[in-house]
Amino acid sequence: MPELPEVETIVRVLRPGLEGRRFTRYTSRWAKQAVPSVAAVRRGIVGRRIRRLWRRAKYIVMDLEDAGNAARRKRIVRGADDRHPSEHLLIHLRMSGRFEWASQNKDKPRHVRAVFDLDNGRRLLFCDQRKFAKITYTTDLAAVTGKLGIEPLERRFTSAALDRVLRGRSRQLKPLLLDQTVIAGLGNIYVDEAMFRAGLHPTVRSEHLTSEETRRLRTAIRAVLRKAIRHRGTSFDEAYLGGGMQKYLDVYGRTGLPCRRCRTPIERFRIAQRGTHICPNCQPLDGKR
DNA sequence: TGGTATGTTCCAAA
DNA sequence: TTTTGGAACATACC
């Protein structure tokens, strides 16, 4: 489910309830979800304060306060300080991970895989129908996130930067845009949406884009992500937050419906095992590419 | 019953 | 070496 805009939305929603709080208890109902292990996550986070909650690509990142006692301090990586905390809890939601605050006057949430208790008595539930999500405790953030590519909403993501990405290899455009080591945070929905906005066919070879097409693609990626964040992401079922972006999708999930721009029916096919949606008229594939 | 799913990773083949 | 395809992970829904 979640791509960059959904993860960003979740971080913004959770931040007031988590920053400054301390974990008092962590229990897991799905051991394989915890990395490196349930015990290691528990040792790493219980008793620790969450200094900051932020997002890197599709990861939810919690910076943990450095340990307060001498025994723990010894274990901390050298150089850790307020600006560069050395201990982190990372959550990757994969296909179906989601957070929910425990509450008595609601139905029991389904697929609860982990429970986090906080020092103010609140309880955060982590649910994950398909059990693909990962909860990682690490003292080496770069070991987890170091291979991720550029953040598409950062200033550094210029047309020139995208141009380098596209020309540095010879791949079909869509699989390249989905590659987290190249651009970090795009998923199947927003890649399809961005390519539609840019008028580009998903199988175009990346190195063949003109500089004008590259500029259009950069603008399209940023616009679609910003719009999705503004609408709090895309919801596909009742489970998720109530984001409203699905109302504004142009191609994803609109197979057979008329293109909003030219009325041509939207087509769906498969690239790299991913359902792919295009308007064949707005996203032509000219011969040589 | 079989096909599908918004993600990632690993392996094999080209 | 790079790119691509397939399977795996695990479950629910249509």
Side-chain angles (χ1 to χ4, degrees), chain A residues 21-196:
Chain A
R21 296 265 66 88
R22 197 183 292 274
F23 288 114
T24 57
R25 189 162 174 264
Y26 159 71
T27 57
S28 173
R29 302 185 198 176
W30 179 245
K32 288 168 76 173
Q33 168 181 88
V35 180
S37 67
V38 172
V41 172
R42 182 177 294 123
R43 271 199 306 276
I45 72 169
V46 170
R48 317 304 298 285
R49 204 177 291 280
I50 301 159
R51 183 186 295 283
R52 187 163 84 97
L53 184 68
W54 55 290
R55 177 191 63 75
R56 170 72 171 111
K58 301 173 191 172
Y59 285 91
I60 298 165
V61 185
M62 298 183 198
D63 292 349
L64 300 172
E65 186 177 68
D66 292 343
N69 65 69
R72 268 214 162 117
R73 188 165 287 139
K74 279 184 189 165
R75 295 205 298 267
I76 295 176
V77 178
R78 269 170 304 156
D81 58 33
D82 284 4
R83 305 176 72 93
H84 303 285
S86 63
E87 301 182 60
H88 307 270
L89 186 69
L90 289 90
I91 295 101
H92 197 300
L93 305 167
R94 297 282 184 101
M95 294 290 271
S96 61
R98 63 191 177 85
F99 280 104
E100 193 172 317
W101 291 105
S103 149
Q104 284 114 349
N105 42 26
K106 264 190 308 197
D107 292 341
K108 277 238 164 55
R110 303 176 69 188
H111 315 300
V112 177
R113 309 297 183 197
V115 179
F116 298 89
D117 286 331
L118 302 176
D119 60 349
N120 60 353
R122 292 188 88 188
R123 170 171 285 184
L124 187 63
L125 307 176
F126 185 67
C127 309
D128 181 25
Q129 176 198 110
R130 292 176 65 185
K131 300 183 177 176
F132 286 170
K134 294 286 177 231
I135 295 175
T136 303
Y137 168 78
T138 184
T139 54
D140 184 359
L141 183 64
V144 184
T145 63
K147 287 186 176 162
L148 291 169
I150 191 165
E151 284 281 335
L153 291 180
E154 277 185 3
R155 196 160 302 191
R156 295 167 40 232
F157 186 62
T158 58
S159 292
L162 179 57
D163 189 67
R164 282 192 293 277
V165 157
L166 296 170
R167 291 184 193 290
R169 29 184 89 57
S170 177
R171 292 175 68 180
Q172 294 181 328
L173 181 60
K174 172 162 177 175
L176 181 65
L177 296 177
L178 284 171
D179 186 336
Q180 300 300 298
T181 69
V182 175
I183 299 173
L186 295 175
N188 206 34
I189 296 176
Y190 299 116
V191 164
D192 279 6
E193 293 298 311
M195 289 185 304
F196 170 79

